[in-house]
Amino acid sequence: MAIRALVFDTFGTLVDWRSGVAREVERLLPGLDGGAFADAWRGRYQPSMEAVRAGARPFADLDTLQAESLDDLLEAFGHAGVSAAVKRELVLAWHRLDAWPEVPAAMAELRQRFVLAPLSNGHVRLIVALARRNGLVFDAVLGAGFSRDYKPKPALYRDAVTALGFAAEETLMVASHSNDLAAAAGEGLSTAHIARPHENGPAGGETGPAGPVTFAARDLADLARQLAG
């Protein structure tokens, strides 16, 4: 069955979260190691969402969760006295991330043939900010804000399929994280792995899928070429 829609992981797949967060941290907190801070903050990312996934708290958007993680993180880095205004700007660092170099042109090419939507843990305002910053055009905004939960909960993938109205196998989940793709495949979606070997800076990133996928691509431009063929 032909692919008719693409849904995208955002952080790491479409945008370079580590470089963007590190840049903003070093701007707002001069002298701090922005890369180390970004890594430590990202380390709190999954645990902060787990309480929502487990039903232990109501849905809270990613800005709220990032802000809750920030106080302990600032204390650990010796900046416990940071003002509320600076803390807010730090949270908004996640709204100011740059796309990987090939992404804007590849997305424009893909949109000529497919319906495109983010399927991200980012909420609507955050995704809109990233899209506007990088010149990305989506046909819908799906994911955490739409489903009121966090990946890899099955509802997010099912909700995306239902919202776009195509068969699950006609909907291609695009991500640089194999666990995200495995969860999508479990709900019947087709899957495309995008290699992002520099996602985590010195710690690297996934150079290929850890399990079976429908497509494996060097980057988003490579995926666009494969889908055109």
Side-chain angles (χ1 to χ4, degrees), residues 152-164:
K153 291 288 285 295
L156 278 84
Y157 309 100
R158 292 197 297 262
D159 287 350
V161 170
T162 300
L164 296 179

Side-chain angles (χ1 to χ4, degrees), residues 110-200:
L110 288 165
R111 194 165 182 269
Q112 294 178 31
R113 299 179 55 223
F114 304 103
V115 172
L116 307 183
L119 181 52
S120 171
N121 284 328
H123 51 288
V124 172
R125 182 185 171 195
L126 193 164
I127 295 297
V128 168
L130 294 177
R132 291 176 66 86
R133 179 180 179 87
N134 293 289
L136 309 181
V137 179
F138 292 114
D139 298 297
V141 178
L142 305 174
F146 183 79
S147 297
R148 310 292 289 176
D149 210 338
Y150 286 107
K151 295 187 296 180
K153 291 288 285 295
L156 278 84
Y157 309 100
R158 292 197 297 262
D159 287 350
V161 170
T162 300
L164 296 179
F166 302 119
E169 60 267 33
E170 294 177 309
T171 307
L172 182 67
M173 180 72 211
V174 182
S176 56
H177 310 120
S178 294
N179 62 336
D180 197 356
L181 296 174
E187 300 308 312
L189 281 74
S190 297
T191 53
H193 184 273
I194 305 298
R196 293 295 182 205
H198 305 297
E199 178 186 354
N200 301 306

